[in-house]
Amino acid sequence: MGAYSSRNRRGAMIRVCNLRRHGISMIEVIASTLIVSTILIVSLTASSNLMHNQATVNAGVQGKVLACRFLDEITSMQFEDPSLERLFGPETDETIASRTSLDDVDDYHGLNLSPPTDRQGVALSGFSGWSVSILVSHSDASPNGYTEVANFDAPLRQVTVVCTSPSGVVTTGRAIVSQTSSTLDTAIAYQRQVSLSVSLAGSANVDVTVPLRNNPSVSGL
C-alpha cells in the first residue's frame, strides 16, 4: 500500500510537472504572438506614414508646378485694362468663363477652376481632382516689402494662386506685378505665352509654359 501510494505521488508529480510545462509553453506562445503583432503594427504604421508623407511631398511638388503655370499666365498680361472702363476684375466685354477674353492682371481676380484648365479651357493633364483659386489685390511698397492697400491706382498688384490637391494638400504661389509703361497697340493681337508638351521615353510627358513678357515690336512685319 505504501509502495502504491508512493507511485501515485510520483505519477501525480510527473503530471503536475507536465501540466506546468504545457502552461509555460502556452504563455510563451501568447507572448510571442503579442510581440509579433506589435512589430507588425509598428511596421504597418511606419509604412503608412511613409507613404502618406511621400504623397504629400509629391502633391506639394505638383502644386508648385500648377501655381507657377497660372502665375506665368497672369503676369504676362497687362497691368491694367487700357480702356476707360477700368473695372477691378473682368470688364463688361470679358468673362472669367472664357480666359481668352482676359487681357489684364486683375481680370483673373475671383477665378476658380476645378479641374484646372489651360487658357483655351482644356483640362490640364495630370491634375484631375485638383482645384485652383486666384485672388488679385492692390499693393504698394512698405518697409517690409509690400502691403495690400485699398487704392485702385496702387502701383503694384499682388497675385495669389491657391492650388488644392484631391487629398487636401494646399500649395500657395504669389507674385507681385508692377505698373510699367506700355506702347502696345490695342488693335493688334499679341502672343503672351507659349505652351509646349514634350514626350519622353516610357510614355512620360512634360508640359512647359513660357510667358512672353517683353513688349514685342511690329516693325518689319
Side-chain angles (χ1 to χ4, degrees):
M1 186 70 180
Y4 177 78
S5 299
S6 176
R7 284 196 300 272
N8 285 344
R9 285 197 297 272
R10 286 198 299 271
M13 291 176 64
I14 292 172
R15 283 196 295 272
V16 170
C17 291
N18 288 338
L19 288 174
R20 288 177 179 174
R21 282 200 297 271
H22 290 160
I24 293 173
S25 298
M26 185 62 68
I27 292 174
E28 290 174 347
V29 169
I30 294 174
S32 299
T33 302
L34 290 175
I35 293 173
V36 172
S37 299
T38 302
I39 293 174
L40 287 174
I41 292 173
V42 171
S43 299
L44 291 173
T45 302
S47 299
S48 177
N49 290 337
L50 181 62
M51 294 176 63
H52 179 268
N53 292 339
Q54 186 61 46
T56 301
V57 171
N58 292 339
V61 172
Q62 282 187 287
K64 290 180 180 178
V65 171
L66 186 60
C68 287
R69 182 181 185 120
F70 277 90
L71 288 175
D72 283 344
E73 176 182 331
I74 298 169
T75 57
S76 68
M77 298 295 140
Q78 301 178 84
F79 182 81
E80 61 184 8
D81 197 281
S83 69
L84 297 178
E85 192 175 13
R86 293 188 66 201
L87 297 177
F88 190 78
E91 277 66 38
T92 54
D93 61 339
E94 303 165 346
T95 172
I96 58 176
S98 176
R99 295 205 328 257
T100 55
S101 67
L102 307 182
D103 57 7
D104 61 275
V105 172
D106 61 63
D107 287 346
Y108 286 80
H109 179 65
L111 177 63
N112 295 288
L113 296 169
S114 182
T117 62
D118 63 16
R119 188 167 164 79
Q120 284 69 41
V122 179
L124 297 177
S125 176
F127 292 98
S128 176
W130 283 74
S131 63
V132 174
S133 177
I134 300 173
L135 298 175
V136 181
S137 60
H138 307 292
S139 296
D140 203 347
S142 70
N144 296 324
Y146 58 88
T147 184
E148 294 185 16
V149 295
N151 179 10
F152 190 91
D153 295 319
L156 303 175
R157 296 282 189 269
Q158 176 179 293
V159 182
T160 303
V161 178
V162 180
C163 305
T164 306
S165 74
S167 62
V169 178
V170 178
T171 305
T172 302
R174 291 185 175 87
I176 294 294
V177 183
S178 62
Q179 171 70 290
T180 57
S181 60
S182 176
T183 57
L184 298 183
D185 188 344
T186 57
I188 299 177
Y190 298 95
Q191 186 173 17
R192 297 188 177 277
Q193 62 175 321
V194 176
S195 296
L196 301 175
S197 181
V198 182
S199 297
L200 305 176
S203 301
N205 293 322
V206 177
D207 294 324
V208 181
T209 299
V210 181
L212 305 176
R213 298 191 179 95
N214 294 330
N215 290 350
S217 172
V218 296
S219 61
L221 294 181

